[in-house]
mmCIF file of all heavy atoms in Angstrom:
data_model
loop_
_atom_site.group_PDB
_atom_site.id
_atom_site.type_symbol
_atom_site.label_atom_id
_atom_site.label_comp_id
_atom_site.label_asym_id
_atom_site.label_seq_id
_atom_site.Cartn_x
_atom_site.Cartn_y
_atom_site.Cartn_z
ATOM 1 N N ARG O 183 1.149 -4.474 -10.545
ATOM 2 C CA ARG O 183 0.560 -5.676 -11.120
ATOM 3 C C ARG O 183 0.341 -6.678 -9.999
ATOM 4 O O ARG O 183 1.206 -6.880 -9.151
ATOM 5 C CB ARG O 183 1.502 -6.261 -12.178
ATOM 6 C CG ARG O 183 0.898 -7.341 -13.059
ATOM 7 C CD ARG O 183 1.161 -8.731 -12.527
ATOM 8 N NE ARG O 183 0.734 -9.759 -13.457
ATOM 9 C CZ ARG O 183 0.455 -11.005 -13.126
ATOM 10 N NH1 ARG O 183 0.576 -11.400 -11.854
ATOM 11 N NH2 ARG O 183 0.074 -11.880 -14.029
ATOM 12 N N GLY O 184 -0.857 -7.281 -9.944
ATOM 13 C CA GLY O 184 -1.151 -8.255 -8.904
ATOM 14 C C GLY O 184 -2.441 -8.988 -9.201
ATOM 15 O O GLY O 184 -2.980 -8.911 -10.307
ATOM 16 N N ASN O 185 -2.944 -9.716 -8.204
ATOM 17 C CA ASN O 185 -4.141 -10.527 -8.369
ATOM 18 C C ASN O 185 -5.104 -10.278 -7.215
ATOM 19 O O ASN O 185 -4.695 -10.224 -6.057
ATOM 20 C CB ASN O 185 -3.785 -12.020 -8.418
ATOM 21 C CG ASN O 185 -2.852 -12.344 -9.568
ATOM 22 O OD1 ASN O 185 -3.268 -12.580 -10.692
ATOM 23 N ND2 ASN O 185 -1.552 -12.361 -9.282
ATOM 24 N N ASN O 186 -6.381 -10.131 -7.549
ATOM 25 C CA ASN O 186 -7.448 -9.965 -6.564
ATOM 26 C C ASN O 186 -8.452 -11.100 -6.720
ATOM 27 O O ASN O 186 -8.472 -11.795 -7.744
ATOM 28 C CB ASN O 186 -8.167 -8.627 -6.757
ATOM 29 C CG ASN O 186 -7.261 -7.441 -6.525
ATOM 30 O OD1 ASN O 186 -6.467 -7.441 -5.603
ATOM 31 N ND2 ASN O 186 -7.378 -6.431 -7.373
ATOM 32 N N SER O 187 -9.324 -11.254 -5.726
ATOM 33 C CA SER O 187 -10.403 -12.232 -5.846
ATOM 34 C C SER O 187 -11.311 -11.857 -7.013
ATOM 35 O O SER O 187 -11.616 -10.684 -7.221
ATOM 36 C CB SER O 187 -11.226 -12.281 -4.560
ATOM 37 O OG SER O 187 -10.460 -12.771 -3.498
ATOM 38 N N GLY O 188 -11.763 -12.851 -7.752
ATOM 39 C CA GLY O 188 -12.635 -12.599 -8.886
ATOM 40 C C GLY O 188 -14.085 -12.460 -8.482
ATOM 41 O O GLY O 188 -14.497 -12.886 -7.396
ATOM 42 N N VAL O 189 -14.881 -11.877 -9.365
ATOM 43 C CA VAL O 189 -16.315 -11.753 -9.124
ATOM 44 C C VAL O 189 -17.025 -13.045 -9.506
ATOM 45 O O VAL O 189 -17.852 -13.562 -8.762
ATOM 46 C CB VAL O 189 -16.902 -10.571 -9.911
ATOM 47 C CG1 VAL O 189 -18.407 -10.465 -9.695
ATOM 48 C CG2 VAL O 189 -16.226 -9.272 -9.487
ATOM 49 N N VAL O 190 -16.693 -13.580 -10.689
ATOM 50 C CA VAL O 190 -17.248 -14.869 -11.124
ATOM 51 C C VAL O 190 -16.113 -15.783 -11.581
ATOM 52 O O VAL O 190 -16.271 -16.573 -12.515
ATOM 53 C CB VAL O 190 -18.292 -14.692 -12.240
ATOM 54 C CG1 VAL O 190 -19.569 -14.099 -11.680
ATOM 55 C CG2 VAL O 190 -17.750 -13.818 -13.373
ATOM 56 N N SER O 191 -14.975 -15.667 -10.928
ATOM 57 C CA SER O 191 -13.805 -16.490 -11.234
ATOM 58 C C SER O 191 -12.997 -16.634 -9.957
ATOM 59 O O SER O 191 -13.260 -15.965 -8.962
ATOM 60 C CB SER O 191 -12.957 -15.857 -12.345
ATOM 61 O OG SER O 191 -12.450 -14.599 -11.923
ATOM 62 N N ASN O 192 -11.978 -17.509 -9.979
ATOM 63 C CA ASN O 192 -11.149 -17.676 -8.788
ATOM 64 C C ASN O 192 -10.396 -16.398 -8.443
ATOM 65 O O ASN O 192 -10.337 -15.984 -7.286
ATOM 66 C CB ASN O 192 -10.178 -18.834 -8.980
ATOM 67 C CG ASN O 192 -10.856 -20.182 -8.847
ATOM 68 O OD1 ASN O 192 -12.012 -20.279 -8.431
ATOM 69 N ND2 ASN O 192 -10.142 -21.238 -9.217
ATOM 70 N N PHE O 193 -9.784 -15.776 -9.455
ATOM 71 C CA PHE O 193 -9.047 -14.539 -9.220
ATOM 72 C C PHE O 193 -8.996 -13.730 -10.504
ATOM 73 O O PHE O 193 -9.286 -14.234 -11.597
ATOM 74 C CB PHE O 193 -7.629 -14.816 -8.701
ATOM 75 C CG PHE O 193 -6.787 -15.668 -9.605
ATOM 76 C CD1 PHE O 193 -5.990 -15.104 -10.591
ATOM 77 C CD2 PHE O 193 -6.780 -17.046 -9.468
ATOM 78 C CE1 PHE O 193 -5.210 -15.890 -11.425
ATOM 79 C CE2 PHE O 193 -5.993 -17.844 -10.296
ATOM 80 C CZ PHE O 193 -5.217 -17.272 -11.277
ATOM 81 N N THR O 194 -8.628 -12.472 -10.360
ATOM 82 C CA THR O 194 -8.507 -11.551 -11.487
ATOM 83 C C THR O 194 -7.121 -10.927 -11.472
ATOM 84 O O THR O 194 -6.724 -10.304 -10.482
ATOM 85 C CB THR O 194 -9.566 -10.436 -11.414
ATOM 86 O OG1 THR O 194 -10.871 -11.018 -11.483
ATOM 87 C CG2 THR O 194 -9.412 -9.460 -12.562
ATOM 88 N N ALA O 195 -6.354 -11.124 -12.550
ATOM 89 C CA ALA O 195 -5.047 -10.479 -12.694
ATOM 90 C C ALA O 195 -5.265 -9.040 -13.124
ATOM 91 O O ALA O 195 -6.062 -8.755 -14.026
ATOM 92 C CB ALA O 195 -4.201 -11.231 -13.717
ATOM 93 N N GLN O 196 -4.548 -8.139 -12.482
ATOM 94 C CA GLN O 196 -4.793 -6.718 -12.710
ATOM 95 C C GLN O 196 -3.480 -5.966 -12.847
ATOM 96 O O GLN O 196 -2.566 -6.118 -12.037
ATOM 97 C CB GLN O 196 -5.608 -6.144 -11.556
ATOM 98 C CG GLN O 196 -5.990 -4.685 -11.710
ATOM 99 C CD GLN O 196 -6.797 -4.183 -10.535
ATOM 100 O OE1 GLN O 196 -6.366 -4.298 -9.391
ATOM 101 N NE2 GLN O 196 -7.959 -3.617 -10.795
ATOM 102 N N THR O 197 -3.385 -5.146 -13.902
ATOM 103 C CA THR O 197 -2.299 -4.182 -14.066
ATOM 104 C C THR O 197 -2.920 -2.796 -13.962
ATOM 105 O O THR O 197 -3.919 -2.516 -14.623
ATOM 106 C CB THR O 197 -1.606 -4.349 -15.428
ATOM 107 O OG1 THR O 197 -1.119 -5.696 -15.549
ATOM 108 C CG2 THR O 197 -0.440 -3.389 -15.565
ATOM 109 N N TRP O 198 -2.353 -1.919 -13.132
ATOM 110 C CA TRP O 198 -3.031 -0.665 -12.844
ATOM 111 C C TRP O 198 -2.062 0.518 -12.773
ATOM 112 O O TRP O 198 -0.862 0.363 -12.582
ATOM 113 C CB TRP O 198 -3.801 -0.766 -11.520
ATOM 114 C CG TRP O 198 -2.966 -1.240 -10.358
ATOM 115 C CD1 TRP O 198 -2.786 -2.514 -9.932
ATOM 116 C CD2 TRP O 198 -2.159 -0.426 -9.491
ATOM 117 N NE1 TRP O 198 -1.939 -2.557 -8.857
ATOM 118 C CE2 TRP O 198 -1.545 -1.290 -8.553
ATOM 119 C CE3 TRP O 198 -1.927 0.942 -9.396
ATOM 120 C CZ2 TRP O 198 -0.696 -0.820 -7.557
ATOM 121 C CZ3 TRP O 198 -1.075 1.405 -8.398
ATOM 122 C CH2 TRP O 198 -0.481 0.533 -7.500
#
Side-chain angles (χ1 to χ4, degrees):
R183 192 266 187 202
N185 300 274
N186 296 319
S187 294
V189 178
V190 288
S191 63
N192 284 350
F193 58 90
T194 298
Q196 183 180 55
T197 303
W198 53 269

